[in-house]
Amino acid sequence: EAGVAQSPRYKIIEKRQSVAFWCNPISGHATLYWYQQILGQGPKLLIQFQNNGVVDDSQLPKDRFSAERLKGVDSTLKIQPAKLEDSAVYLCASSLATGGHNEQFFGPGTRLTVL
Amino acid sequence: GENVEQHPSTLSVQEGDSAVIKCTYSDSASNYFPWYKQELGKRPQLIIDIRSNVGEKKDQRIAVTLNKTAKHFSLHITETQPEDSAVYFCAAASYGKLTFGQGTILTVHP
């Protein structure tokens, strides 16, 4: 089966610019996650969707980050405006359903560098 | 919220030796504990997981143990091989939300 797809794979922007990332989960997976992985750290959950509804966005910096999952399939994560500390790999993951017992499958990530 | 501590941050072993990575968690509601392996520049991949109603699980050279009372769990890799070299992350799930540890860089020397 096809895995989680993400684009772009790499992005370099100046601080205060905007950027958007795209994720296409595994077909049939109801739950979609966006994680931020800063170099040398574990992934940190930013937002979790169940179909097209938000389940958890408690760690999303809402003053600059936004995400949507229209039609409950693809998702986009946007940063506006970007700060230097946003430099990280942004990982998208999906699972069959919400719940701690469902394996999360990760995409290849988007490496963001903010200059 | 959940807090997961992982030790050691780096681990160097000789090929054929065993490697042990330990994690502690804070939220007693956590009920699922996966371990992910991440090679340089690659995506995290699940290698083994354990649910809170199980104390130990084994899959070939990899085993995980869970002590719910003490809120800690461990990954054991036996007969290590150079291809086991990677960053390993533990995680704990509470109400469906995964919290990851800081990672352990495992290096297996031939």
Side-chain angles (χ1 to χ4, degrees):
Chain A
E1 89 188 341
V4 177
Q6 289 187 248
S7 68
R9 293 294 313 277
Y10 306 91
K11 190 73 178 179
I12 300 174
I13 62 172
E14 301 275 338
K15 60 183 179 184
R16 291 188 288 274
Q17 285 187 324
S18 302
V19 64
F21 313 127
W22 173 82
C23 173
N24 179 240
I26 293 173
S27 178
H29 280 196
T31 309
L32 185 147
Y33 313 79
W34 282 103
Y35 289 88
Q36 179 192 59
Q37 187 175 24
I38 293 172
L39 187 65
Q41 298 182 19
K44 183 183 88 172
L45 180 69
L46 293 176
I47 188 166
Q48 176 181 341
F49 292 95
Q50 172 77 7
N51 296 310
N52 61 348
V54 175
V55 174
D56 187 329
D57 63 357
S58 57
Q59 297 190 97
L60 187 73
K62 298 180 186 64
D63 57 335
R64 298 184 301 105
F65 286 64
S66 65
E68 60 182 10
R69 191 183 184 198
L70 300 176
K71 300 180 182 177
V73 181
D74 294 2
S75 177
T76 55
L77 176 69
K78 296 178 182 177
I79 308 175
Q80 180 180 10
K83 292 185 175 181
L84 296 176
E85 57 262 37
D86 298 332
S87 294
V89 175
Y90 290 84
L91 292 162
C92 179
S94 69
S95 66
L96 274 172
T98 298
H101 294 185
N102 288 284
E103 178 181 353
Q104 293 186 23
F105 295 85
F106 285 84
T110 296
R111 182 176 299 277
L112 173 67
T113 302
V114 182
L115 303 175
Chain B
E2 175 65 279
N3 182 50
V4 178
E5 298 286 337
Q6 182 172 347
H7 299 281
S9 55
T10 60
L11 180 57
S12 184
V13 300
Q14 289 296 128
E15 183 177 2
D17 288 351
S18 294
V20 180
I21 302 170
K22 299 182 178 182
C23 290
T24 60
Y25 62 99
S26 60
D27 188 348
S28 55
S30 288
N31 58 5
Y32 172 63
F33 306 90
W35 286 87
Y36 284 84
K37 176 182 180 183
Q38 188 174 30
E39 296 177 4
L40 191 63
K42 302 281 184 65
R43 71 192 75 190
Q45 293 199 298
L46 181 73
I47 55 171
I48 195 167
D49 57 15
I50 191 166
R51 282 120 173 93
S52 59
N53 59 345
V54 175
E56 183 174 355
K57 183 177 178 180
K58 207 170 184 179
D59 182 5
Q60 299 182 337
R61 297 186 296 108
I62 295 173
V64 58
T65 59
L66 171 65
N67 183 327
K68 283 183 62 180
T69 304
K71 295 200 189 79
H72 66 70
F73 55 114
S74 301
L75 177 72
H76 304 252
I77 305 174
T78 58
E79 300 171 28
T80 54
Q81 301 166 2
E83 50 265 40
D84 293 330
S85 296
V87 181
Y88 290 80
F89 291 99
C90 64
S94 174
Y95 301 104
K97 177 179 172 180
L98 272 184
T99 301
F100 285 82
Q102 294 295 299
T104 296
I105 302 172
L106 173 64
T107 304
V108 181
H109 299 281

